[in-house]
Amino acid sequence: MRSNRPLSRSLIKLAVRLVAGKSRAHVQDWFPGLRLVAATPQARGAIYYRGQRVGDLICSAEAIRMTGSAIYIVGSGPSIRDCDLTRAETNSCILLNGALHLVPDHIAKPLAVAVEDERFVWNHFDLFERIPADCPCLFSVSVIRAICERNPRWLQGRRVTLIDDIRKPYGRARQGSADLSTLSHVRLSADGTAGLSTTPDVGVFQGGSVVISATQFALSFRPKSIGYLGIDISNADQARFYEKDEKVYSGVRKGQERILSHLEMAREFALEQGIEMVNYSPVSALKTLGFGYSDMFSRQKTN
């Protein structure tokens, strides 16, 4: 099982932690060479790499244009093999990481793609060529930096929205629960380990899987329903639907409890807002949160 993060990145991560300390260890996400200018509702931001402007940052409301009432968050769990994604409405799916394999044969026009682990860039940068030129991209700081290291020209003309970790924000020191609890757009669990941001453009809670960040963005659009496909979690130690040979490391199974605690908060908020959350994977750990199961996308369903 391989991780495939360059050795240089591991060394930088260690060095930054030793020099900057725990409160600023996340400087390694943008060091060296990356500088971001945040987008606002009034103006686009910018991505600079080694002093050169290589792309824009835009708010999610400008980047993502819903045309229907549902948003489907599509992961790369093994259950995707048994789903017929052609049943999803055009421009309704947020694709996570390896779900890019579904473009264009199964999903011709995604609503957006979301990647927050830089290892995916190092392992599968060829898949980024599948992302349509006008498709909104939700990328973390470290993913943007890794893309710049691979090919900064790829970002030119792209509609990139920043996934900023609200606990470890770009350009600022680590934020504790006491700092976050004063923010009106933040919800925290009683023990402070899980959270939800109702304004994801200014930061999201990350919790071991990009599905958590994607959910916060999806909630901000107030759809009638949010559906989950291939968000299995409970069988994440098995090969993803597109992996045929060597499996790339995933920490999802190990971090299951943490992931579910964040999604539970999201579901509570969704219920308050009248937003339905639906699980379309028969093996998903989401069933333990009361998401249930719908066979709407099952290949075995004929009507």
Side-chain angles (χ1 to χ4, degrees):
M1 187 177 291
R2 59 191 175 89
S3 170
N4 201 22
R5 189 201 305 268
L7 177 60
S8 60
R9 290 309 314 172
S10 297
L11 294 175
I12 287 172
K13 182 177 181 179
L14 176 60
V16 169
R17 187 176 183 86
L18 289 173
V19 172
K22 182 179 180 180
S23 68
R24 291 190 176 273
H26 57 290
V27 168
Q28 70 96 18
D29 287 345
W30 61 88
F31 180 85
L34 181 67
R35 182 170 72 86
L36 303 177
V37 177
T40 69
Q42 294 75 37
R44 292 192 170 194
I47 303 169
Y48 291 90
Y49 184 63
R50 300 194 183 280
Q52 300 294 315
R53 182 166 182 157
V54 296
D56 296 336
L57 287 176
I58 59 179
C59 290
S60 60
E62 179 184 352
I64 298 174
R65 304 291 183 177
M66 284 185 60
T67 56
S69 60
I71 292 176
Y72 302 104
I73 299 178
V74 184
S76 52
S79 69
I80 282 291
R81 299 187 188 101
D82 300 318
C83 291
D84 181 2
L85 271 298
T86 62
R87 297 176 187 172
E89 298 91 337
T90 299
N91 198 47
S92 64
C93 296
I94 299 178
L95 306 184
L96 313 181
N97 300 334
L100 282 171
H101 281 275
L102 299 168
V103 180
D105 294 342
H106 302 279
I107 299 175
K109 186 178 180 182
L111 177 64
V113 301
V115 183
E116 69 180 21
D117 188 340
E118 69 169 284
R119 288 174 299 189
F120 188 79
V121 180
W122 297 111
N123 292 331
H124 300 289
F125 191 57
D126 58 311
L127 280 179
F128 282 67
E129 294 307 319
R130 296 192 183 212
I131 302 175
D134 62 346
C135 179
C137 300
L138 306 175
F139 290 157
S140 68
V141 176
S142 62
V143 164
I144 294 172
R145 190 255 309 138
I147 291 172
C148 288
E149 291 187 62
R150 295 298 300 268
N151 179 11
R153 291 187 300 276
W154 187 90
L155 292 164
Q156 294 176 2
R158 295 283 179 171
R159 298 162 67 185
V160 179
T161 294
L162 181 64
I163 300 176
D164 199 11
D165 187 340
I166 201 167
R167 292 190 187 275
K168 293 179 283 186
Y170 170 78
R172 293 186 292 142
R174 188 184 185 106
Q175 304 293 294
S177 296
D179 303 304
L180 297 174
S181 63
T182 64
L183 302 177
S184 61
H185 61 279
V186 161
R187 290 189 172 201
L188 281 171
S189 62
D191 61 4
T193 59
L196 173 78
S197 169
T198 59
T199 311
D201 279 301
V202 299
V204 299
F205 284 87
Q206 296 182 354
S209 171
V210 67
V211 67
I212 296 168
S213 299
T215 295
Q216 289 166 88
F217 277 100
L219 285 169
S220 72
F221 284 90
R222 300 294 192 271
K224 288 186 178 179
S225 67
I226 299 174
Y228 295 87
L229 296 97
I231 310 299
D232 300 350
I233 304 175
S234 58
N235 61 0
D237 52 347
Q238 299 177 22
R240 300 168 180 88
F241 80 91
Y242 59 87
E243 291 177 331
K244 296 179 176 61
D245 300 316
E246 186 180 8
K247 174 177 167 53
V248 179
Y249 171 77
S250 170
V252 169
R253 187 69 177 88
K254 183 178 179 181
Q256 176 173 327
E257 184 177 346
R258 181 183 177 208
I259 294 167
L260 292 179
S261 65
H262 283 81
L263 291 177
E264 185 172 22
M265 286 199 70
R267 182 171 180 269
E268 291 172 357
F269 178 76
L271 287 172
E272 294 172 14
Q273 301 298 313
I275 301 171
E276 182 184 24
M277 284 189 165
V278 186
N279 163 48
Y280 296 102
S281 169
V283 298
S284 177
L286 295 177
K287 294 166 100 174
T288 65
L289 300 182
F291 279 61
Y293 168 64
S294 168
D295 65 354
M296 188 176 86
F297 289 95
S298 173
R299 292 187 185 277
Q300 298 177 2
K301 184 178 176 67
T302 57
N303 53 47

